[in-house]
Amino acid sequence: MRTAIVILGQGALATARRLQEIYPQARVLGLKDRVEGADESYANFGDTLRQLYRDDTPIIALCAAGIVIRTLAPLLVEKGAEPPVLAVAEDGSAVVPLLGGLGGVNRMAREMAAALDVAPAITTSGELRFGACLLDPPPGYALADIEQGKRFVSDLLGGDTLRIEGDAPWLDELDLPLAEDAAHTLRIDACAEGIAQNELRIHPCIVLAHVTLVDSQLPERIRQGLAQAGLAAASLAAVVAPRCRMADPALAEAARQLDVPLRFIHNDDELPPAVLHGDSFHLHRAATPLEAQGIGQPRGRLSVIGLGPGASDFMIPAVRRALDEAQDLLGYETYVKMAEPLRDDQVRHCTDNREEMQRARHAFELAASGRRVVVISSGDPGVFAMAAAVMEALHESSDPHWHGVELEVLPGVSAALAAAAKAGAPLGHDFCLISLSDNLKPWETIEKRLDHAGAADLAMAFYNPISKARPWQLGRALEIVRRHRSPETLVVLGRDIGRPAEALRVVTLGELVPEMVDMRTLVIVGSSLTRRFPRAGGGNWVYTPRWYR
């Protein structure tokens, strides 16, 4: 989950940016009308903080700890299910972990304090005494019983000793009160047998359920199989199936109900020895969680996304999540840079803007290997952008692994809609979008469409209006439009809308000349009914009425 750094005043922005260097994909949320330069704005501190908490989002609040405590107090019901919440002084002089002891809050506090060169205000007794939280094992391990774990740690803090049975390498560096004859035992194993009174049980996730037949009862049968084999349900590491089943929704639902990853194998030789053979599945036991995690591959995911016009405020949350989760990002270099912040471990595959089909095929090759891949467009991916190229590449392919990829198209604010919104509502009635590029279609087709759109009195938005390689097409297009429109027809020119250098201009069709336009300009030609009126502060609002005479 992407961390939220919440600030109330301009003075906290510098510290927020320093923290963002530790967590590059964190977003800085600034209070509206009080903070300039934040990644996102919010109107109400309390409502925002509570919603982030409900969404299980890690929170770093640059304000007094008391404000955070009073804000979240009504939501503090279940200690075992809370995201990390920290209060940090505006100047970075104090880091205070407040909530989320089992979610890594103290680890985050240490990371931030080290970057800010201060001491973290950690008050958790067990962590101060032993150097880490015993009830928060690393990935690949699961705590059996949180309540018994609390009593166990309390006994150790009271002076009792313990012995460790099983392989727990992360405990080697801790300052634990170890003794061979200790009455308390920290046991690492996958067994489902009852936990002793003075025992802390941690289950390694080492069991794989290899599925051969899927139906609605599969999750329950796997749970019964684990119990029959004497294995804890928490020791289940993954559901495994042949690669040909990648697109099976029932299989995905079974893994979801069991709350484990779904992985796919080429053949059964990849699996460790079986410990139980069932009618529709077999249970296999790996030696370590690391071995279990390395078996098979996940279903690859290919997300075709639109960034919108450029400003982060115009990017839908689903797009930001896809970018955050991606392992590989493909696109025109300018658009990949617009998708920042990105992690250092994310692979960028930047290509020329004319290499759409090669980019789409490369994306499927990566996703078919089990990776999470994002293909980036500006605006909306389905409007003269990469979604059609990706669909075409898949349509042409007979590779079953490509067709097994989880494919999604996530919309963005198109250039036409962004420019129209800045101007008012010039596309308020029927309209059409036309690309003036003849790279992929004959110019004769473009002329025919311009003529018909003009005759239909549609408002028109022109994409790719002009370039060094196509210097004359816009002039010819205007000649065709002028057959059907008067010189007083309003035209909106939106250049780099949503980006720092954005510029909006309203002219008439009679005034418009190609020299006013470049490749980064979106041209909207109004219908015969499009009109304008003065806006407060200068300029004009432009709109096309919803009615038609």
Side-chain angles (χ1 to χ4, degrees):
M1 183 64 67
R2 197 176 179 212
T3 299
I5 303 173
V6 185
I7 62 177
L8 288 163
Q10 195 68 33
L13 184 59
T15 302
R17 294 303 186 199
R18 291 176 66 187
L19 296 176
Q20 200 173 33
E21 292 176 4
I22 313 170
Y23 309 109
Q25 292 186 310
R27 63 193 194 279
V28 177
L29 280 61
L31 183 60
K32 187 177 181 181
D33 298 328
R34 288 183 57 183
V35 178
E36 293 183 4
D39 299 327
E40 299 177 26
S41 298
Y42 66 89
N44 184 285
F45 178 81
D47 292 345
T48 300
L49 218 64
R50 285 187 286 270
Q51 189 58 55
L52 291 168
Y53 185 90
R54 292 188 190 99
D55 293 341
D56 203 31
T57 301
I59 300 169
I60 303 171
L62 273 66
C63 62
I67 298 174
V68 181
I69 293 169
R70 286 192 293 273
T71 299
L72 297 180
L75 307 181
L76 306 183
V77 178
E78 185 179 347
K79 179 176 172 57
E82 58 192 18
V85 179
L86 304 97
V88 177
E90 284 194 356
D91 61 359
S93 60
V95 177
V96 184
L98 298 175
L99 300 168
L102 300 183
V105 70
N106 289 330
R107 171 185 50 77
M108 291 181 65
R110 287 192 171 94
E111 292 170 348
M112 290 189 288
L116 297 171
D117 197 24
V118 297
I122 293 175
T123 58
T124 308
S125 300
E127 186 132 353
L128 291 172
R129 172 65 180 82
F130 308 129
C133 179
L134 292 181
L135 306 184
D136 183 25
Y141 296 84
L143 183 67
D145 187 329
I146 180 65
E147 294 303 323
Q148 186 157 2
K150 293 176 189 176
R151 293 192 295 270
F152 186 92
V153 171
S154 178
D155 289 346
L156 297 186
L157 292 172
D160 286 332
T161 58
L162 81 157
R163 65 179 184 272
I164 299 174
E165 295 184 1
D167 186 26
W170 74 93
L171 299 177
D172 293 343
E173 298 181 3
L174 303 190
D175 184 19
L176 298 173
L178 301 174
E180 289 293 332
D181 60 348
H184 288 64
T185 303
L186 195 163
R187 178 169 294 153
I188 314 295
D189 68 33
C191 295
E193 65 186 24
I195 303 173
Q197 179 67 29
N198 295 332
E199 180 183 329
L200 176 62
R201 182 78 62 84
I202 295 177
H203 298 303
C205 302
I206 57 175
V207 181
L208 303 163
H210 178 209
V211 174
T212 57
L213 179 65
V214 185
D215 61 25
S216 61
Q217 301 304 310
L218 179 63
E220 184 56 34
R221 283 202 295 272
I222 290 177
R223 294 187 186 100
Q224 293 172 357
L226 289 165
Q228 182 182 342
L231 296 167
S235 69
L236 185 64
V239 170
V240 179
R243 286 191 74 187
C244 62
R245 304 292 294 274
M246 274 191 176
D248 187 335
L251 193 58
E253 174 60 19
R256 188 196 66 77
Q257 290 187 33
L258 291 165
D259 196 24
V260 295
L262 177 58
R263 299 183 68 84
F264 299 92
I265 56 175
H266 291 276
N267 54 67
D268 296 356
D269 294 341
E270 298 180 47
L271 295 168
V275 294
L276 183 138
H277 293 278
D279 294 333
S280 56
F281 67 93
H282 310 306
L283 295 181
H284 299 257
R285 180 168 177 159
T288 66
L290 187 61
E291 179 188 342
Q293 292 167 8
I295 293 171
Q297 67 167 71
R299 183 187 184 191
R301 185 175 70 195
L302 174 52
S303 303
V304 189
I305 63 100
L307 297 175
S312 60
D313 286 351
F314 292 145
M315 184 188 299
I316 69 169
V319 165
R320 188 67 256 177
R321 282 195 297 272
L323 290 167
D324 291 346
E325 295 171 0
Q327 295 169 291
D328 297 89
L329 303 116
L330 295 87
Y332 181 44
E333 185 172 8
T334 299
Y335 301 156
V336 175
K337 288 182 177 178
M338 284 170 57
E340 294 176 345
L342 301 170
R343 300 188 310 275
D344 290 341
D345 65 319
Q346 292 177 300
V347 183
R348 307 182 189 202
H349 307 268
C350 299
T351 51
D352 185 84
N353 215 18
R354 292 173 178 264
E355 299 178 9
E356 288 91 348
M357 290 308 297
Q358 297 95 313
R359 186 184 303 146
R361 296 181 186 113
H362 186 198
F364 275 110
E365 290 169 0
L366 291 167
S369 71
R371 296 179 68 80
R372 294 185 174 186
V373 181
V374 167
V375 171
I376 301 172
S377 298
S378 66
D380 182 275
V383 179
F384 305 120
M386 282 302 301
V390 166
M391 294 296 171
E392 183 179 350
L394 184 60
H395 189 192
E396 291 175 348
S397 174
S398 59
D399 188 332
H401 297 144
W402 284 26
H403 287 268
V405 164
E406 180 185 355
L407 176 61
E408 62 178 0
V409 179
L410 300 176
V413 178
S414 70
L417 299 183
K422 285 289 182 181
L427 303 180
H429 204 292
D430 297 340
F431 68 92
C432 66
L433 309 179
I434 299 178
S435 171
L436 299 189
S437 171
D438 58 355
N439 288 332
L440 298 174
K441 63 179 181 289
W443 178 253
E444 292 75 14
T445 299
I446 297 174
E447 288 200 2
K448 185 182 299 183
R449 292 176 180 178
L450 287 167
D451 192 43
H452 285 303
D457 200 19
L458 298 174
M460 292 176 272
F462 295 160
Y463 281 69
N464 309 310
I466 199 167
S467 72
K468 291 180 179 179
R470 297 181 291 100
W472 58 269
Q473 281 89 336
L474 177 59
R476 175 60 181 151
L478 295 177
E479 290 178 13
I480 297 169
V481 172
R482 285 173 177 139
R483 298 174 187 166
H484 307 281
R485 295 284 196 284
S486 71
E488 291 74 31
T489 300
L490 295 175
V491 179
V492 174
L493 305 178
R495 187 177 190 277
D496 281 345
I497 298 299
R499 304 180 192 179
E502 78 171 25
L504 188 76
R505 186 177 181 183
V506 180
V507 298
T508 65
L509 187 59
E511 296 169 334
L512 180 61
V513 293
E515 289 74 21
M516 295 178 179
V517 177
D518 63 12
M519 188 65 176
R520 292 156 64 181
T521 303
L522 191 287
V523 180
I524 299 177
V525 178
S527 76
S528 62
L529 294 180
T530 302
R531 55 196 58 192
R532 63 180 163 182
F533 64 95
R535 73 164 86 187
N540 292 280
W541 288 114
V542 178
Y543 76 103
T544 301
R546 294 172 297 158
W547 45 265
Y548 202 89
R549 53 171 183 249

